[in-house]
Amino acid sequence: MTDMRDAPGDIVMTRIGQVTMLLHGGDREEARNRFGALWSEIGEDGDALHRCTLAHYMADAQDDARDELAWDLRALAAADTLSRDRRTARHASLAVRAFYPSLHLSLAADYLKLRRPEEARLHLGRAHAALDALSGDAYGNDIREALRRLERELDAV
């Protein structure tokens, strides 16, 4: 979703980044355990950026598509509660609003896994509507390509 180095001095984002490296290294169970512990520390009312980021990555650590969907919905809900200042703040080159294409892409993928194509299409549409928040960098290009792949998968259903 974002480069953890973009929030200097934010120890929670650093810790989320460390667990994300475990996840990307293939240790899903340990990542789930550590994300769960962090979620308990942050709490349901903790910083919305922390909740959004953690939930987005926690979704990727799930083995069950329903659990993945639940975490992605938490991530979107947290993003929607970010304060106006936080929503427009830039951490390096990525505005928080640039999370929305990725969040909606993840939800579309979840719904497709759950054989709920109408909801998948709805979130693909929302991801497309938010694409203007992305730049032409590698992150933006990756999200656009992932959207095209998911659209092809959805068209095949």
Side-chain angles (χ1 to χ4, degrees):
M1 180 158 58
T2 184
D3 186 338
M4 296 301 146
R5 294 171 295 173
D6 289 341
D10 188 334
I11 190 71
V12 174
M13 292 299 279
T14 299
R15 291 172 65 201
I16 292 169
Q18 291 167 341
V19 178
T20 300
M21 290 189 312
L22 272 177
L23 176 63
H24 292 169
D27 197 345
R28 294 166 61 84
E29 183 176 359
E30 183 62 21
R32 266 193 310 271
N33 292 337
R34 291 189 189 189
F35 279 141
L38 270 170
W39 186 261
S40 293
E41 287 179 35
I42 294 169
E44 290 287 331
D45 297 320
D47 182 277
L49 179 61
H50 296 159
R51 288 183 293 119
C52 177
T53 305
L54 190 148
H56 187 63
Y57 287 117
M58 176 64 122
D60 293 340
Q62 301 307 303
D63 293 327
D64 183 276
R66 291 171 301 223
D67 294 334
E68 187 174 358
L69 173 62
W71 282 105
D72 278 329
L73 287 170
R74 284 182 187 104
L76 181 62
D80 287 343
T81 65
L82 285 166
S83 71
R84 181 162 167 42
D85 289 343
R86 212 67 195 263
R87 234 182 275 139
T88 57
R90 287 195 176 263
H91 299 287
S93 64
L94 183 62
V96 173
R97 68 186 185 95
F99 292 176
Y100 282 95
S102 178
L103 293 171
H104 286 294
L105 172 65
S106 293
L107 285 163
D110 297 342
Y111 284 120
L112 184 58
K113 288 177 196 172
L114 292 168
R115 299 174 194 227
R116 294 166 60 180
E118 292 310 311
E119 286 113 323
R121 284 185 181 87
L122 173 73
H123 284 282
L124 275 177
R126 290 179 180 168
H128 275 287
L131 283 176
D132 66 332
L134 298 178
S135 64
D137 63 2
Y139 174 77
N141 293 334
D142 287 348
I143 296 298
R144 288 181 188 90
E145 181 55 36
L147 275 171
R148 287 189 287 272
R149 279 193 309 272
L150 192 59
E151 285 171 335
R152 288 190 297 271
E153 285 181 49
L154 191 55
D155 287 344
V157 171

